[in-house]
Amino acid sequence: MRLYVGNLAWATSEEKLRDTFEAFGAVESYVIIKDRDTGKSRGFGFVEMSDPAEGQAAIDALHGKDLDGRALTVNEARPREERRGGGRGGNRNGGGGYRGGGGRY
């Protein structure tokens, strides 16, 4: 069972996340999602537990509970939706043309 864990404190480590959920059963995987540019926590992560009953026990016990000063949001993770393009095409500057320099074309 894959669980979404939200409202994590930026200081919460992946090891602490794992330890918190291991109190309810076997943890197969765990990750805190980090910002691509800064490497800092984005405040949420995922935990995968072997047994759905253990996952539900973790949800029941940890949702709304304090971890590092923040009330956790814990629920079953939804399947990841496919991302589609933004529909603007490949040119992101809004329409060709020369955009260098600091003034007129």
Side-chain angles (χ1 to χ4, degrees):
M1 173 180 245
R2 186 170 163 96
L3 305 176
Y4 165 83
V5 185
N7 204 32
L8 290 170
W10 285 285
T12 301
S13 68
E14 288 184 334
E15 292 74 25
K16 186 161 190 178
L17 181 66
R18 179 198 63 217
D19 293 346
T20 300
F21 281 81
E22 278 184 339
F24 301 94
V27 172
E28 289 184 7
S29 65
Y30 53 94
V31 64
I32 293 177
I33 304 303
K34 296 187 170 51
D35 182 89
R36 189 177 331 183
D37 297 327
T38 66
K40 293 182 179 180
S41 169
R42 292 188 59 200
F44 71 95
F46 296 94
V47 174
E48 191 162 353
M49 300 190 74
S50 322
D51 182 352
E54 293 172 350
Q56 188 59 53
I59 291 171
D60 295 342
L62 296 173
H63 182 74
K65 297 298 182 206
D66 183 277
L67 180 66
D68 293 336
R70 304 288 301 262
L72 294 178
T73 298
V74 182
N75 51 48
E76 189 170 355
R78 292 178 293 209
R80 187 171 183 172
E81 294 181 14
E82 296 235 2
R83 292 180 148 194
R84 291 190 281 173
R88 289 191 70 195
N91 191 348
R92 292 184 173 229
N93 68 8
Y98 177 71
R99 293 237 188 241
R104 298 192 156 153
Y105 292 55

